[in-house]
Amino acid sequence: MRFSVFISVLRSLGPVVIGISLGFTLSLLSVSWTEEACPVEGKEGEDVASGQDGLLKGARKPSSISTGNDVESEEDFEPRIVPYKQVQPSAPKKVFRAKYISTELGMRESLFVGVLTSKNTINTLGVAVNRTISHHLDIVVFFTGSSNRKVPHGMFVVSHGDERLIWNMYQTIRYVLDHYINEYDWFYFVQDDAYTEADRIRELVEHLSVNRELYMGSPEEFIGGEMEGKYCYGGFGYLLSRSLLLRLQPFLENCRNDILSSRPDEWLGRCIIDYTSTNCVSEHEGLEYHHYELGKNSDPNKEQNEKFKRALTVHPVSDPEQMYRLHRCFSEIELHKTYNEIAKLQAEIKNVSVLAFEGNRSAQWPVGVNPPFEPKSRFEVLKWEYFTEEEIYSCIDSAPKCELRGIDKLDVAEVIDTAIEELNKKYMPTLHLKKQQLINGYRRFDPTRGMEYTLDLQLEVINQKGHSRSITKRVHLVRPLSLIEIIPMPYVTEATRVHIIIPLTAEDRSYVNHLMEVFASNAFETSENAILTFLFIYDPEEAQHVNHNDIFIDVKNQINVYERKYPTVKIPWISVKTEIPSQIKFMDIISKKHPVDTLFFLAHVNTNINGEFLNRCRMNSINNWQVFFPIHFQEYNPDVSYHNQPPPATVDLVKDAGQFDRRSFDEACFYNSDYMATRSRMVADVQENEDILESLDIYDIFVKYSGLHVFRAVEPALHQQYRYQSCNPKLSEDIYHRCIQSNMEGLGSRSQLAMLLFEQEQGNST
């Protein structure tokens, strides 16, 4: 009984006793067993401290701070003041920064291509190689022993000055090591009698490791078989890594002196094997160097061998025509491959879209093309144009319908043919469809995806038994927008002098004063790099009285006044006599009086010219590349736009003040050399029909004969005061019609003209 009570008490008090005991034990272990001497005044205290010094070295109070000398007293410490000395700034070191960030980061392009050619083949096979691969690769350099004086256009040719094959091979490798070894990772060399599929060779190097010493091509045994290893046959080309060439570089001179060979590819192979122990391989890391040997007089279009279709290079090529046929054949193979990949991707998108929240509706039609534009308001709704095979019901001149012609007719015909072709792909061989007629046609341009079409076609359906019937089928088509590309443009500056040509007739004399005032403030006073030239146009009767009754005498006097006011300014003028004022005839005279590199701005007398526009004229006119036809802002008739109120001093670009006159083609910026070249191309047409000079203007001849880019855009800095143009019926019907339309549209806006008619009706009724 007692024992059980004792056990119960022990169970309750046992943990407490054990905890207290453990606490005492831990506290005793944490206390230092060394004694610390008590401070004693006088000498005894010093002796005690000295006697306990050995003990004090073993332990100290946890809260005390260790010093370098515990014997010293704090009273003996004296602070020391360190004087401040200003640090003299040293001259900053000049840091060299590379011109391009790729150079600083050690980035290199992937592939360098060297074509081994000769003096006899550079203008034939060399040109063919350049035309088939240069636009697919970053750089293509042609190496030859000695070249002709005239290098083919668009080719970078390096001539070694010697026809010895081994010497040329040595010089080629040396040239690459000196100029391109730090810029490229892979170096591909090929003869000019081999066709190279550029995209495939570029794709191959993109999957190879750049730090491998690789010698890749078509392996061949050495002649005689005495030497171990294999070299790459030069006819099919070979690929060298940058690391391999760097390792070979110190021994290149030894190879030239010690290795004898009659073939440059064999010489290079022996050099690589002797000094780098690297053999030619046709396969590396699962990637193969496919090549194909073309038979004599073989037709590439009839080659059905799979090895041919996979080839990176094809050799030998006998002439340029065969090179172009090979290029066409391989382009068709790649195009077919691309179409198959697109179809495969579209099928995968359809399969995945089944699992989406909206099911198949989540995959937009056509697959891979942006979804249609969704308008946010009624004003953003895209309008559809209705058309048939002969007419379209949306015309430029606001007519209800007009004839379908030109590019529009070709567009409609191509869309219908494509629709029939796709329907036959879908239903053949069960059914065969033929077009009977287009019942309805609609099209609209969607800026997010392209041109959309909806066609109602009447078709004849023929089954396998030969029975036929007529049905109506609605189809939808999309002509998608292609990828946006950056087009390289030649470099131009704003320092070019602009020669401003102002044709002047008797009716234009009243506008000269305003023109001179505006031009003086915008050009003469600001020293603008521009020359103003007047072209005085006399009719035959006015020209007879020019000596005693010159109709432009006041304008000439005004020119003299401005020349005296601005001594550094000269305003030349030219007089011409003509019955029909044609732009081309005027420019023929002006062109002969100026150098070929002159930049012309052909303007109108009531045009306000300023420096902002002149700079855009310089930037948008590119010699041998582009001409610029600005669309000026035409002010409305102030009697209409500011009816019963004074007009403002300056007119803003608002819809009630004017419009951009798209009917006018009077202003033009172009170089004299471009005009002369264009004018020379129409000599044959002029000999057949001399009236063509009066039926065309400058814009027409650049569009039809130049081959240059014709850049036409609205120009907010080019204003033109309102004036009623006198339309000459002796000019062509098209020019006369445009002049009439410009006069009518330049009167005022529709709302302003409607208000005038309304006021007139109200006045007549009262």
Side-chain angles (χ1 to χ4, degrees):
M1 182 73 178
R2 292 179 180 178
F3 182 75
S4 61
V5 172
F6 176 75
I7 293 300
S8 62
V9 173
L10 184 62
R11 286 178 178 176
S12 60
L13 296 177
V16 177
V17 175
I18 293 172
I20 293 173
S21 301
L22 184 62
F24 275 109
T25 302
L26 294 174
S27 63
L28 289 174
L29 291 174
S30 64
V31 175
S32 173
W33 292 99
T34 60
E35 296 181 1
E36 185 174 357
C38 297
V40 180
E41 296 181 0
K43 189 174 180 180
E44 294 180 357
E46 294 178 1
D47 294 337
V48 172
S50 301
Q52 299 291 334
D53 186 56
L55 298 176
L56 290 176
K57 290 180 181 178
R60 64 181 178 85
K61 292 175 63 177
S63 59
S64 66
I65 301 175
S66 176
T67 62
N69 188 3
D70 294 334
V71 182
E72 292 184 3
S73 174
E74 294 182 0
E75 295 179 358
D76 297 336
F77 174 76
E78 294 182 1
R80 182 167 60 92
I81 300 176
V82 179
Y84 171 74
K85 295 182 179 180
Q86 187 176 3
V87 180
Q88 296 295 333
S90 59
K93 296 182 179 179
K94 187 176 181 180
V95 180
F96 172 77
R97 297 297 300 273
K99 183 177 181 181
Y100 301 103
I101 191 172
S102 60
T103 305
E104 189 167 329
L105 297 178
M107 298 169 61
R108 294 183 293 270
E109 298 292 340
S110 59
L111 182 62
F112 170 92
V113 176
V115 181
L116 308 177
T117 183
S118 65
K119 179 180 180 181
N120 298 328
T121 60
I122 189 171
N123 290 313
T124 54
L125 288 173
V127 171
V129 171
N130 184 62
R131 289 180 176 178
T132 53
I133 69 173
S134 61
H135 55 286
H136 293 274
L137 302 169
D138 295 326
I139 183 172
V140 179
V141 180
F142 290 81
F143 296 97
T144 179
S146 59
S147 62
N148 299 320
R149 293 183 178 179
K150 187 176 181 182
V151 177
H153 179 70
M155 294 174 60
F156 182 19
V157 180
V158 176
S159 177
H160 301 312
D162 197 322
E163 292 295 338
R164 291 177 294 172
L165 298 179
I166 305 301
W167 172 261
N168 287 336
M169 189 76 253
Y170 163 79
Q171 289 292 345
T172 296
I173 301 298
R174 174 63 65 189
Y175 185 88
V176 169
L177 288 170
D178 292 341
H179 295 85
Y180 296 106
I181 195 63
N182 294 322
E183 298 180 17
Y184 296 91
D185 290 323
W186 295 97
F187 297 85
Y188 174 69
F189 296 94
V190 67
Q191 297 174 183
D192 60 0
D193 61 344
Y195 172 76
T196 301
E197 217 298 324
D199 292 329
R200 294 182 184 178
I201 198 71
R202 186 178 57 187
E203 184 180 357
L204 174 65
V205 300
E206 289 175 353
H207 290 82
L208 291 172
S209 178
V210 297
N211 59 353
R212 298 294 179 90
E213 295 180 0
L214 186 61
Y215 180 30
M216 195 174 191
S218 173
E220 292 285 340
E221 297 283 349
F222 284 96
I223 299 176
E226 298 178 356
M227 182 174 179
E228 296 181 358
K230 295 182 178 181
Y231 73 97
C232 289
Y233 175 55
F236 297 112
Y238 41 88
L239 196 63
L240 304 176
S241 64
R242 176 176 179 269
S243 55
L244 179 65
L245 285 176
L246 286 175
R247 187 178 173 187
L248 184 66
Q249 186 174 11
F251 311 104
L252 194 61
E253 192 69 23
N254 296 340
C255 293
R256 184 176 70 90
N257 297 328
D258 300 341
I259 298 177
L260 299 177
S261 179
S262 60
R263 294 171 53 91
D265 50 358
E266 184 177 332
W267 173 86
L268 181 61
R270 290 182 60 184
C271 180
I272 293 174
I273 294 173
D274 287 349
Y275 292 99
T276 67
S277 301
T278 303
N279 281 286
C280 177
V281 295
S282 61
E283 187 273 336
H284 181 72
E285 296 179 348
L287 300 172
E288 293 189 23
Y289 188 93
H290 297 285
H291 60 276
Y292 184 79
E293 185 173 357
L294 196 64
K296 188 176 181 180
N297 299 326
S298 61
D299 186 359
N301 296 323
K302 297 180 180 180
E303 292 286 350
Q304 300 299 326
N305 194 332
E306 288 298 322
K307 188 177 180 181
F308 171 78
K309 295 180 180 179
R310 297 195 307 267
L312 296 170
T313 60
V314 178
H315 173 80
V317 180
S318 58
D319 53 62
E321 182 181 354
Q322 192 175 38
M323 184 81 72
Y324 297 134
R325 289 164 64 190
L326 282 167
H327 184 63
R328 177 178 179 179
C329 181
F330 276 93
S331 297
E332 290 176 352
I333 293 173
E334 289 298 315
L335 188 62
H336 183 68
K337 179 181 176 182
T338 303
Y339 284 149
N340 290 337
E341 291 176 355
I342 292 173
K344 184 178 179 180
L345 289 174
Q346 289 178 339
E348 291 179 359
I349 292 173
K350 290 180 180 178
N351 293 335
V352 174
S353 65
V354 176
L355 305 176
F357 176 74
E358 297 180 354
N360 285 331
R361 289 187 299 173
S362 62
Q364 299 290 340
W365 179 88
V367 177
V369 179
N370 292 332
F373 171 74
E374 296 183 2
K376 300 296 187 292
S377 67
R378 59 184 296 180
F379 302 104
E380 295 181 357
V381 176
L382 303 177
K383 70 173 184 176
W384 290 82
E385 296 178 349
Y386 179 79
F387 62 86
T388 64
E389 293 185 75
E390 302 296 335
E391 296 173 331
I392 186 169
Y393 292 78
S394 178
C395 306
I396 298 177
D397 56 357
S398 301
K401 70 175 181 178
C402 53
E403 181 184 357
L404 192 66
R405 57 185 178 181
I407 192 65
D408 291 319
K409 190 174 184 65
L410 294 175
D411 175 56
V412 170
E414 184 181 3
V415 168
I416 294 174
D417 293 341
T418 302
I420 300 299
E421 181 181 351
E422 293 297 324
L423 287 173
N424 280 317
K425 285 182 182 180
K426 183 176 181 180
Y427 294 109
M428 286 183 68
T430 306
L431 299 174
H432 179 67
L433 294 89
K434 294 182 179 180
K435 186 202 77 170
Q436 291 182 332
Q437 65 171 341
L438 173 66
I439 301 174
N440 300 307
Y442 303 89
R443 72 176 183 181
R444 74 171 183 180
F445 179 73
D446 188 332
T448 63
R449 54 196 265 136
M451 187 71 79
E452 299 180 357
Y453 303 86
T454 299
L455 306 179
D456 293 330
L457 296 170
Q458 185 174 343
L459 305 171
E460 180 185 2
V461 182
I462 305 173
N463 60 16
Q464 291 179 327
K465 296 182 179 181
H467 301 295
S468 64
R469 57 174 295 190
S470 181
I471 64 169
T472 300
K473 182 75 174 178
R474 168 163 283 197
V475 295
H476 301 276
L477 300 95
V478 174
R479 189 191 297 272
L481 295 172
S482 60
L483 294 176
I484 298 175
E485 298 181 5
I486 297 178
I487 301 177
M489 297 289 286
Y491 178 73
V492 293
T493 65
E494 296 181 353
T496 307
R497 172 172 292 181
V498 182
H499 289 254
I500 304 169
I501 310 299
I502 306 293
L504 209 63
T505 62
E507 300 173 352
D508 301 326
R509 291 173 295 179
S510 59
Y511 300 96
V512 174
N513 188 35
H514 177 75
L515 171 70
M516 296 297 291
E517 290 179 358
V518 173
F519 193 80
S521 61
N522 293 336
F524 295 159
E525 296 178 1
T526 59
S527 300
E528 183 70 40
N529 191 14
I531 296 178
L532 182 66
T533 302
F534 284 98
L535 182 66
F536 298 135
I537 303 172
Y538 297 87
D539 62 25
E541 184 177 353
E542 295 168 347
Q544 294 178 357
H545 309 287
V546 68
N547 293 328
H548 58 275
N549 186 19
D550 189 355
I551 59 173
F552 295 110
I553 188 63
D554 294 336
V555 177
K556 295 176 182 178
N557 292 335
Q558 200 169 2
I559 291 174
N560 294 330
V561 171
Y562 277 92
E563 287 181 343
R564 287 194 297 269
K565 184 177 181 180
Y566 302 96
T568 59
V569 172
K570 297 297 180 182
I571 307 175
W573 48 268
I574 303 172
S575 299
V576 297
K577 180 183 70 172
T578 180
E579 186 175 354
I580 302 176
S582 168
Q583 276 190 331
I584 300 177
K585 291 182 178 180
F586 299 157
M587 281 308 306
D588 287 346
I589 299 173
I590 296 171
S591 175
K592 296 176 182 178
K593 296 180 179 294
H594 291 82
V596 294
D597 59 345
T598 302
L599 174 59
F600 289 125
F601 169 46
L602 191 60
H604 206 275
V605 66
N606 59 330
T607 302
N608 295 336
I609 304 170
N610 54 37
E612 179 184 354
F613 165 73
L614 291 178
N615 283 335
R616 276 200 280 269
C617 178
R618 298 182 181 103
M619 299 299 291
N620 292 329
S621 303
I622 306 174
N623 192 16
N624 199 30
W625 185 268
Q626 180 173 282
V627 292
F628 179 40
F629 285 83
I631 303 175
H632 66 259
F633 182 78
Q634 176 69 56
E635 298 176 10
Y636 286 143
N637 188 339
D639 295 335
V640 176
S641 57
Y642 305 102
H643 185 58
N644 294 330
Q645 57 181 331
T650 58
V651 178
D652 296 328
L653 289 175
V654 293
K655 65 177 183 178
D656 292 332
Q659 64 163 356
F660 286 104
D661 191 0
R662 303 178 188 275
R663 308 280 183 182
S664 176
F665 297 86
D666 292 338
E667 289 85 10
C669 292
F670 53 90
Y671 279 88
N672 190 19
S673 58
D674 292 335
Y675 176 80
M676 294 171 65
T678 303
R679 187 69 174 83
S680 63
R681 293 190 182 98
M682 58 182 301
V683 173
D685 292 343
V686 173
Q687 291 176 352
E688 294 180 2
N689 181 17
E690 294 183 358
D691 295 336
I692 194 175
L693 297 177
E694 300 170 359
S695 61
L696 299 177
D697 54 12
I698 300 294
Y699 182 80
D700 291 329
I701 69 169
F702 275 118
V703 170
K704 294 182 179 180
Y705 297 99
S706 70
L708 303 173
H709 295 272
V710 178
F711 185 56
R712 180 160 167 81
V714 296
E715 180 50 64
L718 199 62
H719 286 220
Q720 195 172 105
Q721 289 181 307
Y722 172 78
R723 68 184 289 268
Y724 181 81
Q725 302 181 60
S726 178
C727 302
N728 192 339
K730 296 181 180 179
L731 296 175
S732 68
E733 182 179 354
D734 185 39
I735 298 176
Y736 179 75
H737 178 69
R738 289 205 310 258
C739 179
I740 296 296
Q741 287 290 115
S742 178
N743 280 336
M744 292 190 297
E745 295 174 0
L747 287 174
S749 64
R750 292 187 177 183
S751 60
Q752 293 167 349
L753 294 173
M755 286 299 299
L756 287 178
L757 290 175
F758 179 74
E759 292 178 5
Q760 185 177 359
E761 293 259 343
Q762 290 289 331
N764 293 337
S765 62
T766 57

